[in-house]
Amino acid sequence: MIDEYNRKIDYMRISITDRCNLRCIYCMPGVGIDLTTHEEILRFDEILTVVESAACLGMKKIKITGGEPLVRRGVADLIHKIKGISGIEAVTLTTNGVLLAEQFEQLKTSGLDGINISLDTLDETEFEKIAGVNALPQVLAGIDRVLADQKIPLKVNCVPLKSAKTGLGDLLSLAKDRPIHVRFIEMMPIGYGKEYTYIHEDEIKEMIENRYGTLKAYKQKLGFGPCHYYTLEGFQGKIGFISAMSHQFCSSCNRVRLTSQGYLKSCLQYELGCDLKPLLRAGATVEEIAKVMAETILIKPKAHTFCKQDFQENEENKLPMSKIGG
Ligand code: SAM
Ligand code: SF4
């Protein structure tokens, strides 16, 4: 489907839960979380209906996210069913990796096409400061498990925090010694992320070059998203940057998001979208849902205004990232 700014929208990120087994400081509060009830969360059969509708509109790629998607039972089965929907070409998963090793076999047989692990540091003390608990050994076990199998491509995503800056170079050892692309995502002022300042891509590049040598731009397209990549001599994996703040990529944005409560959001910043849950629960057909989705996608906002001086609080989404599905 093409929106009114001539962008091809063929990618949907689906949050299947707002629950998580970590508490990353920029994403969820340590205490006092307002969790949605089971009744409010879309059932898997409802998610499958939305994917069928999305496929009717030309959506080809699906990312399963959360909250932490692996805390919801039956993820592998859901992935397998989504893979069976005509028109869907790829289903990938983003996870904090804590439960990955134990669920890997089921995920592999589901036909999953790719895994992104979010990991901000290789330092256990720092990990605990960021995520609330030290689950680094489990995350590393998840990485080892995926790599040992060599079947599912793996990327590691890091949202760099100023407080953990000195350890960012160490994280690159994952790309040096193993076939893993390590990507840096600039912090966006969404939810609890507003309390932190992003580190500019150039600052990270300078730090990398001082330690590992010249970054060479990698021209080929990798994956479905806005990441641009570099190579480093002697490295097996590539280094990527998703820089929504310093290199705004809204003009080529190809995605929409479905929250765990069934709200279709056309842009991370704005509340603009449509609530599909009442339609699903009233028995709307795949075609009827597709029609409503198409109306939302058509008027997808042109761009976010996070970087503008006059950025208004009320222009933005009030939800934390764990509820939107980052
Ligand atoms: N729990 C899973 C995980 O951590 O990959 C999936 C959900 S998490 C919300 C998805 C991604 O959003 C993670 O890579 C996380 O680091 C990122 N994220 C959370 N808050 C963010 C923010 N304010 N700005 C940029 N990325 C953010
Ligand atoms: Fe959980 Fe992912 Fe948010 Fe961290 S970033 S609190 S792992 S949902």
Side-chain angles (χ1 to χ4, degrees):
M1 169 155 184
I2 308 290
D3 76 0
E4 65 175 340
Y5 297 105
N6 215 25
R7 294 172 296 195
K8 187 175 174 190
I9 312 300
D10 60 2
Y11 178 31
M12 182 159 70
R13 294 177 75 97
I14 301 178
S15 171
I16 61 167
T17 180
D18 62 349
R19 290 167 196 247
C20 188
N21 44 2
L22 298 183
R23 292 287 178 272
C24 302
I25 46 178
Y26 51 82
C27 182
M28 280 180 103
V31 287
I33 304 154
D34 169 29
L35 290 173
T36 31
T37 62
H38 287 297
E39 190 49 35
E40 288 170 306
I41 298 278
L42 282 199
R43 300 188 309 264
F44 282 169
D45 63 297
E46 293 171 330
I47 292 175
L48 289 167
T49 303
V50 177
V51 177
E52 275 186 61
S53 305
C56 291
L57 298 174
M59 227 69 88
K60 293 181 167 47
K61 299 142 202 160
I62 302 290
K63 169 85 75 196
I64 302 297
T65 179
E68 172 49 38
L70 297 185
V71 300
R72 185 160 173 186
R73 250 183 297 165
V75 184
D77 188 44
L78 175 72
I79 291 168
H80 182 67
K81 287 183 173 142
I82 293 177
K83 288 277 298 182
I85 292 175
S86 170
I88 299 301
E89 293 173 2
V91 183
T92 56
L93 173 82
T94 180
T95 171
N96 60 30
V98 176
L99 298 172
L100 188 55
E102 63 188 72
Q103 295 190 23
F104 183 73
E105 275 309 314
Q106 296 103 287
L107 290 169
K108 193 172 81 172
T109 47
S110 74
L112 186 64
D113 296 290
I115 298 176
N116 290 357
I117 296 186
S118 302
L119 177 59
D120 298 335
T121 177
L122 287 180
D123 180 284
E124 293 200 13
T125 311
E126 211 48 64
F127 189 103
E128 186 165 352
K129 274 194 215 155
I130 296 171
V133 289
N134 173 21
L136 185 61
Q138 290 98 302
V139 180
L140 296 178
I143 292 177
D144 288 345
R145 185 71 192 81
V146 180
L147 286 184
D149 197 75
Q150 295 187 355
K151 288 275 181 341
I152 307 183
L154 180 64
K155 292 174 188 143
V156 164
N157 290 335
C158 162
V159 176
L161 281 159
K162 290 211 187 269
S163 58
K165 204 172 125 191
T166 48
L168 293 179
D170 296 340
L171 201 61
L172 288 189
S173 64
L174 294 173
K176 187 169 195 307
D177 308 327
R178 294 144 170 242
I180 304 176
H181 303 320
V182 174
R183 312 176 329 157
F184 295 97
I185 301 176
E186 284 177 353
M187 178 84 69
M188 287 177 283
I190 295 171
Y192 298 92
K194 274 184 291 202
E195 289 158 36
Y196 302 89
T197 317
Y198 75 95
I199 307 183
H200 196 290
E201 170 181 326
D202 291 347
E203 207 179 312
I204 295 175
K205 279 189 190 149
E206 189 185 330
M207 189 198 67
I208 294 173
E209 294 201 316
N210 285 341
R211 178 154 164 191
Y212 293 107
T214 309
L215 286 161
K216 288 206 186 94
Y218 182 76
K219 301 274 187 252
Q220 277 148 267
K221 179 107 180 101
L222 272 180
F224 318 125
C227 188
H228 53 280
Y229 288 92
Y230 294 82
T231 57
L232 273 174
E233 203 175 319
F235 274 57
Q236 296 187 44
K238 297 183 178 47
I239 315 304
F241 294 90
I242 303 174
S243 306
M245 303 298 286
S246 67
H247 295 69
Q248 194 167 351
F249 42 75
C250 302
S251 63
S252 59
C253 184
N254 61 349
R255 63 199 54 197
V256 290
R257 291 175 164 81
L258 182 71
T259 71
S260 55
Q261 295 194 58
Y263 193 82
L264 184 73
K265 269 178 69 62
S266 55
C267 172
L268 262 180
Q269 179 179 345
Y270 303 95
E271 305 263 13
L272 199 68
C274 56
D275 191 359
L276 299 178
K277 191 169 55 188
L279 300 171
L280 287 158
R281 297 202 173 162
T285 63
V286 167
E287 291 72 25
E288 284 163 346
I289 304 273
K291 188 166 173 287
V292 174
M293 290 174 76
E295 284 160 12
T296 283
I297 295 169
L298 187 67
I299 56 165
K300 180 174 158 68
K302 188 174 184 187
H304 72 69
T305 59
F306 291 142
C307 306
K308 291 220 168 106
Q309 292 273 314
D310 59 352
F311 171 62
Q312 296 289 313
E313 277 281 306
N314 61 6
E315 272 186 289
E316 67 180 304
N317 196 294
K318 311 277 186 315
L319 294 172
M321 207 61 149
S322 59
K323 284 205 186 285
I324 300 171

